[in-house]
Amino acid sequence: DTAVSQTPKYLVTQMGNDKSIKCEQNLGHDTMYWYKQDSKKFLKIMFSYNNKELIINETVPNRFSPKSPDKAHLNLHINSLELGDSAVYFCASSQDRVSRTQYFGPGTRLTVL
Amino acid sequence: QKEVEQDPGPLSVPEGAIVSLNCTYSNSAFQYFMWYRQYSRKGPELLMYTYSSGNKEDGRFTAQVDKSSKYISLFIRDSQPSDSATYLCAFDSGNTPLVFGKGTRLSVIA
């Protein structure tokens, strides 16, 4: 059973398009995250939700909009995609907002042409 | 000064070697120190987690924290080809998001 799953695994799209990435965790965790890992492998947090409530929003362009329909799901919608959005996007979850252990999904490799 | 510095490598060692991976940091507020392992095309997974200065051992892995020098290390004994991965240090101040190093790519050659 996959603990944290993401779809799609790969996403290739044109500049200007809108796309969504979905994440689900079956660990019963309260807190979920979105990270961006660029071509240099630098992993940086974008958003965090705790029980469907946004708790971290790290200076991310407004084109990125997370949405948590329930605490097991955290989706990421990106409007007007730009070349610089090309990266691997990882979803993660933790037991709660103070837990130090985060479980990462397999990543979604986004390529913007 | 960058908040976290980590040599990206790549680091290539023969099987059985002792590997030393290091990170330095500048933020005195960091209280929790972690090492994540990331295999190619996979998500990071937590390997080791320490709270204070000192050593923590788990099998072939030892995490070392020196808060006075703002320096953390991960040692891998008897390295195996299956240890080939990127190792990311990560830091937590307790009330801010995790801060990751850029990762060190390790190759263990059989």
Side-chain angles (χ1 to χ4, degrees):
Chain A
D1 253 359
T2 305
V4 182
S5 58
Q6 295 177 228
T7 53
K9 198 168 181 179
Y10 299 96
L11 191 50
V12 181
T13 188
Q14 299 286 333
M15 264 197 323
N17 284 352
D18 303 338
K19 290 293 177 186
S20 290
I21 308 171
K22 296 188 175 185
C23 177
E24 176 181 0
Q25 53 95 3
N26 62 7
L27 298 167
H29 288 171
D30 287 344
T31 309
M32 295 184 74
Y33 311 82
W34 275 113
Y35 285 87
K36 179 181 179 181
Q37 189 171 47
D38 61 25
S39 57
K40 295 184 179 177
K41 299 288 188 183
F42 188 43
L43 190 64
K44 190 165 169 55
I45 192 162
M46 300 172 69
F47 301 103
S48 177
Y49 271 73
N50 187 66
N51 273 322
K52 304 194 298 175
E53 182 184 335
L54 180 67
I55 55 172
I56 296 173
N57 184 345
E58 287 286 309
T59 324
V60 177
N62 291 339
R63 299 182 296 103
F64 290 80
S65 51
K67 189 166 282 187
S68 182
D70 55 62
K71 74 173 194 176
H73 295 85
L74 180 61
N75 304 324
L76 183 65
H77 188 76
I78 315 170
N79 289 326
S80 304
L81 278 155
E82 300 177 358
L83 293 176
D85 297 332
S86 295
V88 182
Y89 291 84
F90 287 101
C91 177
S93 73
S94 62
Q95 183 68 54
D96 50 45
R97 61 195 297 176
V98 298
S99 173
R100 305 273 97 74
T101 304
Q102 294 186 15
Y103 296 83
F104 283 79
T108 296
R109 186 171 294 271
L110 171 65
T111 303
V112 182
L113 303 175
Chain B
Q1 185 183 8
K2 289 184 182 175
E3 198 167 27
V4 174
E5 301 251 23
Q6 182 176 13
D7 187 338
L11 181 61
S12 188
V13 301
E15 184 176 356
I18 296 175
V19 176
S20 171
L21 304 166
N22 312 295
C23 286
T24 58
Y25 64 96
S26 59
N27 189 343
S28 301
F30 289 149
Q31 302 176 45
Y32 304 91
F33 308 91
M34 287 149 275
W35 286 96
Y36 279 80
R37 178 175 60 196
Q38 185 176 17
Y39 289 114
S40 182
R41 305 266 170 166
K42 301 285 187 186
E45 56 176 331
L46 183 65
L47 198 57
M48 301 280 287
Y49 156 44
T50 53
Y51 173 65
S52 59
S53 282
N55 292 354
K56 182 176 181 179
E57 195 172 312
D58 184 1
R60 295 184 295 109
F61 298 88
T62 300
Q64 192 174 78
V65 174
D66 182 347
K67 290 174 87 171
S68 61
S69 302
K70 296 191 177 66
Y71 187 89
I72 70 169
S73 300
L74 178 71
F75 297 97
I76 307 174
R77 288 185 301 282
D78 187 25
S79 55
Q80 303 294 310
S82 58
D83 295 328
S84 298
T86 296
Y87 291 81
L88 303 112
C89 54
F91 300 83
D92 186 350
S93 66
N95 56 10
T96 54
L98 287 186
V99 177
F100 285 85
K102 292 192 174 184
T104 300
R105 190 153 56 96
L106 171 68
S107 293
V108 180
I109 312 300

